[in-house]
Amino acid sequence: VTALFDHFGRTVSTQAFRLAAASATAFLLVAALIVGVLFWQTNTLLTDHVVEELRGEARELAHEAATSSPQAFSERIEVRSRVSGSSLYYLANAASGAKIAGNLAVFPEDVAASSTGGVFSYTRLGDAPELSRLAVGIPVAVGPNLHLVIGRDIEEQITLADRIKRTFLLGFGVLALAAVLAGLAVGRTVLHRVEAINATTRSIMAGDLARRVPVSGNGDELDELSENLNGMLDRIEQLMNGLREVSDNIAHDLKTPLNRLRNAAEAALRESRGAEGYREGLEAAIEKADDLIKTFNALLLIARLEAGVVEESAEMFDLGRLVEDVAELYEPVAEEAGLSLTIDVETGIEVRANRQLIGQAVANLADNAIKYSAKAAEGKRPSDMTVSVTARKSTGLAEITVADRGPGIEPQDRDRALRRFVRLEKSRTQPGTGLGLSLVAAVAHLHHGSVRLEDNEPGLRIVVTLPFATASS
Ligand SMILES: Nc1ncnc2c1ncn2[C@@H]1O[C@H](COP(=O)(O)OP(=O)(O)OP(=O)(O)O)[C@@H](O)[C@H]1O
Ligand SMILES: [Mg+2]
């Protein structure tokens, strides 16, 4: 029983129940107002009808009194009094108080004294005195020697009004009950679903990170809340996976170069004879350490981009101009490798993005294109071995394309190539850490854009799309 009360108490204290109760109260107030006005009007209508009937009768009697003798007039009253089934009552008394004619036993002094009439109680002739009834009566002026009061029974009207009142009250009660029940039902449903959300979050806090909040599927605001919570949980899981991946990468991929550095230092110590030997050994060690630092920095930058954390804010700039500036830096490198670099950019593509990161991404793509197609260029004319860099406006997006005529990447390897530290079998002979494309992907992702790897027949074409106005902040 206490559990039941507890449950009831919690339902009642929900926001949903309170809202339902508040609106039910407002509704009932308005209903009460309407019912009150209706009742009042019905009552007036009934009363008006009775009063009108009495007035008509009074007019007729006043006319008859003026046109006939007192004797004839009292006979007329006697006749009217005997009409069976009529609810009209008459009593004519002489000035002395003696009854002259009529079907009322007691003269209603109050009614006779007031000019507008009033309600009086009477007993029908032949009825027991406790069966008194109510009537409305008015005095009729029929000369100085006669006191005439006519009345009309209103028991029927009272019964009708009572019945109407009872119906209204009953309806009112049913409405109030329905409102409370509806409020309870709404509160319970909401409470039930909130409880489900709470249960899920509790088990997530207890370590079951894969749990998700149930979504009922009817698209209401609780569903929206659940979906947002699930989205948040997905995002957190993604970030945690990213973090785990980075630590895995550090453990595996940076151990090898670190070991190499250590071995080189050891070898230098063991083999070198004289200061010059040590010097060379130290220089080699510094070079390897620099590479390691570079790799570390790239790795950390990618991790930061993937987490969506970048201190550098976005700015508006001309994308075509930036791509051109960066690509031009690679012209001498391309030439040296026997390639021709063509740059074809539209100007006036204003984007809101992180300029430095976009520049780095373009540089990585140009670097790859030159590095991996250089071998294929041997013995061919540079004009056949173009690396083309373009930037253009497409529908709602800015598009950067870097295409080469090198070995390309097999379709099944294209997704993999974007991952950290992935270097494909074919390119093991080239220097590199496998982070270049990961950074491109992370930059695109940060700007809500995308990276596509396509076949350039032959060669590789990489298309980076960016929405015009994406803020990394
Ligand atoms: N233009 C290209 N043509 C053929 N293969 C490519 C091309 N660009 C990238 N790849 C392949 O994708 C792999 C990943 O490229 P990514 O730029 O991420 O690393 P990397 O060039 O090996 O090293 P880094 O850029 O970090 O110095 C490369 O190792 C290479 O196998
Ligand atoms: Mg690269």
Side-chain angles (χ1 to χ4, degrees), residues 403-467:
D404 62 55
R405 296 269 170 210
I409 299 181
E410 300 294 323
Q412 69 270 20
D413 287 334
R414 284 178 194 158
D415 278 346
R416 208 159 66 83
L418 292 175
R419 290 220 288 270
R420 279 185 288 247
F421 293 110
V422 170
R423 308 206 65 219
L424 301 177
E425 217 46 61
K426 290 196 254 193
S427 42
R428 293 282 165 184
T429 51
Q430 302 287 340
T433 50
L435 290 176
L437 286 181
S438 311
L439 185 98
V440 175
V443 168
H445 184 239
L446 181 75
H447 290 90
H448 308 287
S450 68
V451 182
R452 267 195 336 261
L453 274 63
E454 294 171 350
D455 199 341
N456 196 34
E457 295 171 349
L460 182 71
R461 179 169 60 225
I462 300 194
V463 185
V464 178
T465 57
L466 298 170

Side-chain angles (χ1 to χ4, degrees), residues 364 367-368 371-372 436-437:
N364 285 7
D367 178 68
N368 278 356
K371 183 161 71 176
Y372 297 115
L437 286 181

